[in-house]
Amino acid sequence: MQIEIDQISKEFGATAALHPVSLSIPSGALVALLGPSGSGKTTLLRILGGLEFPTAGRVLFDASDATNLTVQDRRAGFVFQSYALFRHMTVFENIAYGLRARPRAGRPAKAEIARRVTKLLELIQLPDIGARYPSQLSGGQCQRVALARALAIEPRMLLLDEPFGALDARVRKELRAGLREIHDTTGLTTIFVTHDQDEAMELADLVVVMSMGRIEQIGRPQDIRARPATAFVKEFLAV
Amino acid sequence: MSDTPTHHWPKPTGSQAHRPVTTEFPGFRFGLIAVVVLFLALLLFAPLVAVFAEALSKGAIEAVKSLANPEASSAIKLTLIVAAVAVPLNAVFGIAAAWFITKYDFRGKALLITLIDLPFSVSPVVAGLCLVLTFGANTAVGGWMVAHGYPIVFALPSIILASMFVTFPFVARELIPVMIEQGKAEEEAALTLGASGWRIFFTVTLPNIRWALLYGVLLCNARAMGEFGAVAVVSGKIRGQTATMPITIEMLYNEYLSVSAFSLAAVLALLALLTLTLKTLLEWRFADQLAAAHRP
Ligand SMILES: Nc1ncnc2c1ncn2[C@@H]1O[C@H](COP(=O)(O)OP(=O)(O)O)[C@@H](O)[C@H]1O
Ligand SMILES: [Mg+2]
C-alpha cells in the first residue's frame, strides 16, 4: 500500500511534536524513521497507525483520505516498543487475538485460526512456544511473537516502534535479518522507528532522518551517507 | 561469564557464614517478632476470641436461638441486601473511575483522585447527616419520593446510599495504582488488532486487573456490612425494619442482652472471616496464573 503524509503536524499542549511534515512512501517499501530521542518518530508512527490524531494535515492510503479512519479500520500491524503482549494470554491466544476479534461474518473458523497461528509461529521460527505465557519468553522471542500477532490480522502495512531497542547486539542482528525476510515475503509496506543509524542504513530501502519534529532528509541509505543534506544529518551520522 | 575475574574475598567465618546481609543482629529480630505477635494478639486475636466466647457463654443453643429472633434475622437479611446492592454498584463505579483516571489525560485529574478519597476523610456521621439534608422528607427530592410512597431517608434507599458513600473509594483505590503501572499499551495493541472498546475491556483490561478488583471488592464488602456511623444517622434505627447488623448489635448491647448482641457480632465477624478465606482460596487456586501475570 502506498502511503502519503501530507503536511502533518502534531501538538501536545504547548509542545510541537511534529512541525508540518510531508512524506511519500511507495508501496512495498521498507522505511526507517531515524533520529535522536524526542525527534517525533513515535508520534509520526502512531499517527499512521491511528493511535494519535494529527493537529493538522492529512494521511492518504493508496490515494484515499485515511485521516479520520479509526485504528480498527486502518488495519495497520503495529509492533510496540515494549511489545505490549497480552500478559494473561498464551502466545497462541496472543497471535489469535486479532482474528478472534473480527466481526462474526469475517471471523475464520476455529480450525482455520489454529492453522494460521501455527503457520505464523513457523514463520517466526518459534513453532513450539504456543502454550507459553509472555513472562516465560526471552526479549527476542517476545519481539517475534509481537510481530506474528501484528501479521495475523493480514495488515495493510507494518509499523514497528524501535523493534530491536531493548535487545542485545547479537539478537538484534538476527532479528534484523528476520524482519527483512518477512518484509520480502509479505511485500508489506513497512515503517520502523530507530535511533540506531547502522540499523536504519543496513535494513531500510528508504531512510527518513528526523530532528526536533522536522524531516531533515529523505533518501536511500547510500545517498544519505554520501550527501548529507543538512548540518544536523552530517553531525548525526558522524557520531 | 567465563571471563569473570576470580575474586579473593576473605572467607566468612563461624556463625557469620550463613547470615544474609540484610539480617539484623538476633536480639533485634526477636524483639521485632515479639512486638508484632503481641500487637496481633492484643488487637486482632483477643477481641475475636472474646466475641465468640461471650456469644457462646450461655451455650450454643442460646446463641442460635438469639439469632432466630425476628429482630436479629431481619438485621442479617437487611445487611446482606445492602451489601448485595452497594458492593456491585461500587465495583462498577470504581472500575469506571479508575479507567477514566488512568487511561485518559485531562485537567483536574488530581482533584478527582482527591474527591474519590473524600469518604475516608469525612466522618461517616457527617456523611449521614448530609444525606438526610439532601434527601430528607422536607427536601424537594425526598418529599416527592415520600409523596409517591418511596421514602429515601429512614428507609432502605438511604441505608444503601450511606453504605455506598462510605465504601466507594475501596475499589478505585485498589485499581488505580495497578492500572497506572500497567499503562495503556496492551489496550492500544488490542485496538490495532481491530478489537472494539467493549471487547478490549472484557478480554484485556478486566483480566489484567482481576486480582486488584477482587481485593477491592472484598474490602468494600467487609466495610459495607460493618458500617455503623452513617447508617445510624440515615436509617432511623427502626427495629426489625431499618436496623442493620451493626445497629442491632449496638441496641442489643445497650439493653444488656449480651448473648444476643455478641451472637450477632460473631456472625458479622464470621462473614468478614469468610471473605478473607474466599480471597485466600482464590489466590491459592489461581497461583499459577498469578505468577504468569508478572512480567520477568
Ligand atoms: N502523549 C504525549 N504528551 C505530551 N508530549 C508528548 C506525548 N508524546 C510525545 N510527546 C512529546 O513529543 C515529542 C516527540 O516525542 P516522540 O514522538 O515520542 O519522539 P521519539 O519517538 O522520536 O523519541 C517529545 O518532545 C515528547 O516529549
Ligand atoms: Mg519513540
Side-chain angles (χ1 to χ4, degrees), chain B:
Chain B
M1 289 306 243
S2 54
D3 57 351
T4 310
T6 325
H7 292 296
H8 297 283
W9 301 114
K11 282 234 165 69
T13 48
S15 67
Q16 295 240 307
H18 302 289
R19 230 179 77 192
V21 284
T22 50
T23 309
E24 306 295 339
F25 58 91
F28 184 77
R29 204 167 85 186
F30 178 78
L32 214 57
I33 293 173
V35 168
V36 171
V37 169
L38 197 71
F39 255 77
L40 285 179
L42 223 63
L43 289 174
L44 295 177
F45 194 63
L48 208 57
V49 172
V51 165
F52 285 100
E54 197 65 35
L56 298 172
S57 61
K58 300 239 168 64
I61 294 168
E62 276 303 306
V64 174
K65 240 199 236 160
S66 79
L67 290 177
N69 124 347
E71 205 175 308
S73 57
S74 127
I76 295 173
K77 209 173 106 195
L78 180 62
T79 290
L80 292 178
I81 289 173
V82 169
V85 178
V87 174
L89 285 176
N90 269 344
V92 171
F93 168 82
I95 292 170
W99 172 284
F100 191 57
I101 282 169
T102 54
K103 308 282 170 182
Y104 294 95
D105 290 317
F106 57 92
R107 273 163 191 274
K109 200 184 231 186
L111 185 71
L112 185 61
I113 295 177
T114 313
L115 272 179
I116 287 178
D117 276 350
L118 194 68
F120 281 163
S121 44
V122 170
S123 158
V125 175
V126 175
L129 281 173
C130 291
L131 279 178
V132 173
L133 287 176
T134 317
F135 297 113
N138 45 11
T139 64
V141 184
W144 190 84
M145 291 296 280
V146 170
H148 289 78
Y150 296 100
I152 298 178
V153 169
F154 304 146
L156 182 64
S158 71
I159 301 174
I160 290 172
L161 283 175
S163 305
M164 280 179 65
F165 178 87
V166 173
T167 58
F168 88 54
F170 284 100
V171 173
R173 274 178 65 112
E174 284 300 320
L175 294 184
I176 288 170
V178 174
M179 288 171 83
I180 286 177
E181 199 262 323
Q182 292 179 346
K184 42 190 169 190
E186 287 183 42
E187 275 86 0
E188 285 184 344
L191 273 175
T192 65
L193 294 170
S196 66
W198 281 113
R199 188 177 184 89
I200 294 173
F201 177 74
F202 285 110
T203 58
V204 177
T205 310
L206 207 53
N208 274 343
I209 60 170
R210 61 192 158 186
W211 293 106
L213 180 63
L214 176 69
Y215 196 67
V217 163
L218 289 176
L219 279 179
C220 180
N221 182 55
R223 187 77 177 76
M225 291 193 303
E227 174 50 26
F228 180 83
V231 173
V233 176
V234 300
S235 69
K237 298 187 182 181
I238 308 166
R239 274 167 199 277
Q241 280 182 44
T242 66
T244 57
M245 284 174 76
I247 306 279
T248 308
I249 291 168
E250 196 231 8
M251 294 195 299
L252 293 170
Y253 179 75
N254 285 343
E255 288 151 18
Y256 304 103
L257 297 167
S258 69
V259 169
S260 304
F262 283 101
S263 298
L264 205 52
V267 173
L268 198 53
L270 276 177
L271 284 173
L273 288 176
L274 191 73
T275 34
L276 283 181
T277 313
L278 204 65
K279 172 177 167 283
T280 314
L281 269 179
L282 285 168
E283 275 176 356
W284 173 71
R285 166 70 183 78
F286 295 108
D288 50 338
Q289 287 184 32
L290 263 177
H294 288 289
R295 299 209 163 173

Side-chain angles (χ1 to χ4, degrees), chain A residues 46 49 51 71-72 75-76 78 80 82-89 94 97-101 107 133-135 137 149-150 153, chain B residues 181-183 185-197 199-200 203-205 207-208 210 289 291-296:
Chain A
R46 287 171 61 87
L51 289 168
V71 201
Q72 291 98 330
R75 285 216 349 262
F78 207 109
F80 290 79
S82 53
Y83 317 127
L85 294 178
F86 305 125
R87 69 191 87 181
H88 62 284
M89 295 182 204
N94 263 278
Y97 190 88
L99 294 172
R100 289 175 175 165
R107 194 184 306 159
Y133 284 93
S135 58
L137 303 179
R149 182 178 70 173
I153 62 167
Chain B
E181 199 262 323
Q182 292 179 346
E186 287 183 42
E187 275 86 0
E188 285 184 344
L191 273 175
T192 65
L193 294 170
S196 66
R199 188 177 184 89
I200 294 173
T203 58
V204 177
T205 310
N208 274 343
R210 61 192 158 186
Q289 287 184 32
H294 288 289
R295 299 209 163 173

